Amino acid sequence: MSNQYLQALKCSWLALIMVLMTGIGYAQSVHIFITSLPDQTPAGAALFLASNCNEWDASNTNYRLRKLPDGRYYINLEKKANDTLFFKFTRGSWSAVEGDGLGKRRNNRFHAFVGKNDTLQLKIDSWEDIKPEGVFRLVVVDATGTTPNGADIFFTGNINNWEPGNSHFKLKPLLKNTYAIDIPVYGDTIRYKYTRGSWSGVEGDRKGGIRNERTIVPDSYSEAYDTISTWEDIAYPRHYHLWVDELPGNTPKAADIYVTGNFNNWDPGDTNHIMTKTDSGFFINISYPGDTLNYKYTRGDWQTVEGRTNGLAIPNRAILFDHQKEVVKDKIYSWEDLKAGGFQLYTLTLIIPVVMGLLLIFALHGVRSLQPSTPILQVLIGLVCLALLFRLVLYYRDIFNWYPQLIVFSDFIYFLYAPIFLLYVRQVLSSEVRPGLISHVLFLTPIALMLIFYIQFFIVDYEDFIFNIVNNDFKYIFATSGAFGFGFNLFCWSLGVWLYRKAPVTNKAPFVRLAYVKTLLIYQGLILVFWFMVYVIGGVAELMALELAAVVNICVDISWFLFAGNIYLYTFLLIRDPEIFKTNEEVTTVKHNLTATQPELENLIRQVEQLMEKEKPYLNEGLSLQELADLLEINIHQLSRVINEGFDMNFFDYINTYRIEEFIAKVSDPVNDHKTYLSLAYEAGFNSKSTFNRAFKKVKNQSPREFFKSRKAVA
């Protein structure tokens, strides 16, 4: 019988004995387990329990702990006359009694019997007779000088049971605002904080809030330096010096300039924060305990708040506290109530596309024989219009005050536009390639998750929502949502590019539509580039504490300008190539009606054939319909009709036919015997192995190897 089996059997018997003892012989008992010993505990040491139950005998064999197979130590004690058990652990004598985290005497442990069976999981921190391995020094600097004069600073952590005012752990003052303490090292990780003697006087983070535990691994080094930023119970001021050296030209001469922000609950008419007028500008000194000041300038109320250069609402200004930065100079660009009459440039940039988009939706609705993809385009245009309208809410305070939650609606475009755009691309291309990832569930999940996540904005109190928005409390939520939106849009755009690249090998994607889709994809890619720049610049500013808010806002505005440009792009393409939006049948009918009576058709066919045979433009792997039309000096639509009607194939099939013949000629030439099929295919004008193989099989109904094998057999 193996030792492992015997150990398991012993554990089973021990458990059975504990159950029997619990059930019959004793009214109350406590099961004590030692789960951890100091690293310096001698191997094979016996552990004893000394208590008021055995007259504090440090080596009573009846109170020796049993070592369990899992490494723990165990003893069961029954209740005697006393209601409370007082005890300590020893290694057989009082000189080898357990100690506290410093290796010094610890208070007696105690346990008050409550139920029939109580269980204690305990840890021994040290032994009084075993000295620590070394001493670790902590040097503490109170950088802000906020510790009250004469106050004591204490170390509290896992080595002293987190006692906030243990006199053994009081730091010694060294220099002004500098303290130190030597901590005994037993090899464990030290987790700790600093206090002024109680948990109400514990150190805080940079803003005076709760800070995380500090952690030190003494084995790595023997000394560490800490800085106390704040105390939770002490709010201390930081001084921000604001200077405005330029006002809008239409500012009333006698107007007072106010500052409002998170330091005065955003009261725009707080008379305690009127700036002092000097010969060279306006000045004010603001005291605020936080390390970030958010603020704006007003003339006494929210109607007269400062605005952007275009007079629309401006984001809150922000300053990160900096000891080295004495004065922050600002320029006020405009006042919201004194902006020029009529529409502003930014407003026009967003409003005009909305009007054009609505007109375009109705114009497409009136076209006969529409492509099946056109209703999807109408939905896309409608989404762009709605998003632009909701975006404008950000810049009109009256609408914002009426229903501030409107500003979050524009975010839903992150997860709505991309999948519908991808569906539109696939429908335009009529691609036979249908990637398995494109499914309704996949593309509806992000918007569903966003709806659930944004519910919090619609159930929050009206005043609380306004305060949180003005104070930028939702900044990271919106940033995270936008980041996921960018990733989702990039994923959908990549699938659209993949569909476009697959489309040329099918018969259902005329060149005009391929060029149309390519234009759309390039434009969406440009929007993604600026979207990405917003996060790059914003991330750098956040990590390095740089004031780049203005640059970030410019990139955001450019992204929205480009997004609004979708309407202009769709309108331009509709005017330039209306056949894109018509069915294949209607386009084909029109083509035949236009070209069947043209006497020059045969002449154009001969010109195309002569050009292909003499100049071999098909050897250019990037040859397009437009380039070939330019070589023939004819209209691109004329050339498309000539190829469709004269050769009964589309542009790519026609070009690939010449390339296949060129490839066969090269393979048949002994000069090229040392070259591979793929290299010769590239020389013939193909740009990829897969395109070459598909085109060859389509033209010759055989793979290249099958074709040449059959030719050899015939020969």
Side-chain angles (χ1 to χ4, degrees):
M1 188 177 294
S2 67
N3 291 334
Q4 191 174 17
Y5 178 79
L6 287 173
Q7 288 181 350
L9 188 59
K10 288 179 182 179
C11 290
S12 301
W13 276 106
L14 178 60
L16 179 60
I17 291 170
M18 290 171 57
V19 172
L20 292 175
M21 291 171 62
T22 300
I24 54 175
Y26 305 96
Q28 288 179 306
S29 64
V30 57
H31 306 294
I32 302 176
F33 293 89
I34 302 298
T35 60
S36 177
L37 295 176
D39 293 339
Q40 296 76 25
T41 304
L47 302 188
F48 298 85
L49 184 141
S51 72
N52 58 347
C53 292
N54 65 355
E55 298 181 355
W56 295 99
D57 187 346
S59 58
N60 190 324
T61 55
N62 293 325
Y63 289 83
R64 179 175 174 175
L65 279 71
R66 181 191 302 271
K67 188 173 184 179
L68 301 178
D70 60 5
R72 295 183 300 168
Y73 287 81
Y74 166 78
I75 189 171
N76 178 66
L77 292 180
E78 60 192 72
K79 180 182 177 183
K80 301 293 186 182
N82 300 320
D83 289 332
T84 303
L85 173 70
F86 293 92
F87 63 102
K88 279 187 178 181
F89 298 104
T90 76
R91 298 198 324 277
S93 68
W94 282 110
S95 63
V97 68
E98 65 173 322
D100 61 10
L102 288 170
K104 299 179 180 180
R105 180 169 296 179
R106 66 159 296 148
N107 296 328
N108 292 332
R109 300 178 186 265
F110 66 91
H111 172 72
F113 289 93
V114 178
K116 279 189 175 184
N117 294 285
D118 298 330
T119 299
L120 300 179
Q121 305 278 350
L122 304 177
K123 172 186 176 184
I124 297 177
D125 295 315
S126 68
W127 301 107
E128 285 189 15
D129 62 327
I130 299 177
K131 299 306 178 184
E133 297 174 352
V135 174
F136 184 80
R137 165 158 285 209
L138 291 173
V139 179
V140 179
V141 178
D142 178 11
T144 55
T146 58
T147 303
N149 292 331
D152 293 324
I153 298 179
F154 296 84
F155 170 99
T156 180
N158 59 339
I159 66 173
N160 70 347
N161 295 316
W162 293 97
E163 295 181 34
N166 190 320
S167 60
H168 293 302
F169 291 85
K170 186 170 73 172
L171 279 71
K172 296 178 181 179
L174 299 180
L175 303 171
K176 184 180 180 181
N177 296 333
T178 305
Y179 310 82
I181 187 172
D182 294 328
I183 303 295
V185 176
Y186 292 95
D188 293 333
T189 298
I190 301 175
R191 294 180 291 109
Y192 64 101
K193 285 186 177 184
Y194 298 107
T195 76
R196 297 198 326 279
S198 67
W199 283 114
S200 61
V202 68
E203 64 172 323
D205 61 11
R206 295 196 329 175
K207 297 182 179 181
I210 297 174
R211 71 156 292 147
N212 296 328
E213 297 174 356
R214 300 177 185 266
T215 302
I216 287 289
V217 181
D219 291 341
S220 304
Y221 35 83
S222 60
E223 190 174 68
Y225 290 83
D226 292 331
T227 300
I228 296 177
S229 300
T230 64
W231 299 102
E232 282 189 21
D233 60 333
I234 298 178
Y236 65 96
R238 289 179 172 178
H239 301 291
Y240 298 85
H241 310 285
L242 305 181
W243 184 275
V244 175
D245 57 5
E246 186 174 347
L247 296 176
N250 59 356
T251 304
K253 291 184 178 180
D256 288 324
I257 308 300
Y258 296 74
V259 182
T260 181
N262 54 354
F263 51 87
N264 69 345
N265 286 326
W266 294 95
D267 182 355
D270 184 357
T271 56
N272 294 319
H273 289 90
I274 298 177
M275 302 188 76
T276 301
K277 187 175 182 179
T278 68
D279 292 338
S280 55
F282 293 80
F283 176 83
I284 191 170
N285 179 31
I286 295 176
S287 296
Y288 178 63
D291 62 350
T292 303
L293 188 76
N294 295 305
Y295 65 102
K296 278 187 176 180
Y297 297 105
T298 77
R299 299 199 322 278
D301 53 49
W302 283 117
Q303 283 68 42
T304 59
V305 69
E306 64 172 321
R308 295 174 178 238
T309 53
N310 56 15
L312 299 175
I314 193 173
N316 295 331
R317 299 178 184 265
I319 299 175
L320 294 176
F321 182 74
D322 187 348
H323 290 283
Q324 307 300 322
K325 199 170 185 179
E326 293 293 334
V327 177
V328 175
K329 290 188 177 181
D330 289 329
K331 171 185 176 182
I332 298 176
Y333 296 99
S334 71
W335 303 106
E336 283 193 18
D337 63 323
L338 298 178
K339 59 190 176 185
F343 286 114
Q344 301 298 317
L345 178 62
Y346 185 85
T347 306
L348 287 171
T349 307
L350 299 185
I351 285 293
I352 291 178
V354 173
V355 176
M356 289 181 61
L358 295 175
L359 293 174
L360 185 57
I361 290 173
F362 287 110
L364 289 172
H365 187 70
V367 178
R368 294 185 307 164
S369 304
L370 285 174
Q371 277 279 344
S373 61
T374 305
I376 304 175
L377 176 61
Q378 291 174 301
V379 173
L380 275 179
I381 296 171
L383 284 175
V384 175
C385 294
L386 281 176
L388 295 178
L389 287 174
F390 287 129
R391 178 69 182 175
L392 283 171
V393 173
L394 283 170
Y395 303 99
Y396 285 92
R397 191 168 301 280
D398 292 337
I399 302 176
F400 174 81
N401 290 334
W402 168 63
Y403 189 66
Q405 283 84 349
L406 282 174
I407 70 169
V408 306
F409 278 87
S410 61
D411 289 4
F412 288 99
I413 200 68
Y414 299 156
F415 300 101
L416 280 174
Y417 185 84
I420 298 177
F421 176 79
L422 179 60
L423 179 63
Y424 177 62
V425 167
R426 189 177 71 179
Q427 194 68 36
V428 170
L429 296 174
S430 299
S431 177
E432 296 172 346
V433 181
R434 295 180 179 270
L437 289 177
I438 300 180
S439 66
H440 295 296
V441 175
L442 175 66
F443 291 109
L444 289 179
T445 299
I447 189 64
L449 292 176
M450 187 177 183
L451 283 169
I452 295 172
F453 186 67
Y454 270 34
I455 285 177
Q456 58 180 311
F457 298 132
F458 300 101
I459 61 177
V460 70
D461 181 73
Y462 173 87
E463 297 293 340
D464 290 341
F465 184 83
I466 289 182
F467 180 81
N468 289 331
I469 288 294
V470 172
N471 204 31
N472 272 337
D473 292 338
F474 296 145
K475 176 176 67 173
Y476 293 109
I477 295 178
F478 293 147
T480 302
S481 174
F484 279 106
F486 171 78
F488 182 66
N489 278 260
L490 182 61
F491 171 72
C492 293
W493 180 82
S494 300
L495 284 180
V497 172
W498 183 79
L499 287 174
Y500 166 77
R501 289 179 175 176
K502 296 293 181 182
V505 302
T506 71
N507 287 323
K508 298 184 178 180
F511 175 80
V512 175
R513 288 186 193 142
L514 284 172
Y516 169 70
V517 169
K518 182 179 180 180
T519 303
L520 297 183
L521 289 170
I522 290 174
Y523 192 79
Q524 303 307 316
L526 182 63
I527 296 175
L528 290 174
V529 168
F530 274 91
W531 195 350
F532 180 69
M533 287 176 59
V534 170
Y535 279 91
V536 171
I537 297 172
V540 170
E542 189 72 20
L543 291 174
M544 303 183 66
L546 300 176
E547 291 296 331
L548 298 178
V551 180
V552 172
N553 289 329
I554 290 173
C555 288
V556 170
D557 286 343
I558 291 175
S559 297
W560 277 97
F561 290 156
L562 291 173
F563 184 69
N566 276 302
I567 303 297
Y568 296 103
L569 181 63
Y570 289 128
T571 303
F572 169 74
L573 294 175
L574 174 61
I575 295 172
R576 190 188 70 175
D577 295 308
E579 64 186 51
I580 295 172
F581 304 91
K582 299 178 181 179
T583 61
N584 290 337
E585 291 76 9
E586 183 180 1
V587 172
T588 302
T589 301
V590 171
K591 287 178 181 178
H592 281 290
N593 288 339
L594 289 174
T595 61
T597 59
Q598 292 180 3
E600 69 273 13
L601 176 59
E602 292 183 3
N603 183 44
L604 287 174
I605 292 173
R606 284 194 299 272
Q607 289 183 30
V608 172
E609 289 177 333
Q610 290 172 3
L611 177 70
M612 296 296 287
E613 292 172 1
K614 290 182 179 181
E615 299 187 20
K616 299 186 176 182
Y618 54 82
L619 296 179
N620 174 13
E621 64 179 25
L623 181 67
S624 67
L625 184 63
Q626 181 65 61
E627 291 173 340
L628 188 59
D630 292 341
L631 291 174
L632 291 164
E633 298 182 353
I634 62 174
N635 186 290
I636 185 175
H637 302 295
Q638 284 182 305
L639 178 58
S640 179
R641 289 195 291 269
V642 168
I643 294 175
N644 289 336
E645 296 184 15
F647 303 101
D648 195 23
M649 60 181 72
N650 63 35
F651 171 73
F652 287 102
D653 286 345
Y654 178 68
I655 297 300
N656 285 339
T657 300
Y658 278 92
R659 288 172 176 166
I660 294 298
E661 295 302 325
E662 181 72 20
F663 168 77
I664 293 172
K666 287 181 177 292
V667 173
S668 303
D669 189 344
V671 176
N672 298 318
D673 287 347
H674 64 288
K675 297 182 180 180
T676 64
Y677 282 180
L678 184 58
S679 64
L680 294 175
Y682 285 140
E683 291 180 9
F686 289 101
N687 57 9
S688 72
K689 180 179 179 180
S690 58
T691 302
F692 163 65
N693 287 332
R694 280 193 290 268
F696 195 98
K697 193 162 187 177
K698 186 172 185 180
V699 174
K700 299 297 183 180
N701 293 320
Q702 290 178 304
S703 68
R705 295 194 182 279
E706 291 172 344
F707 175 79
F708 288 109
K709 186 177 180 180
S710 63
R711 285 187 62 175
K712 286 182 180 180
V714 173

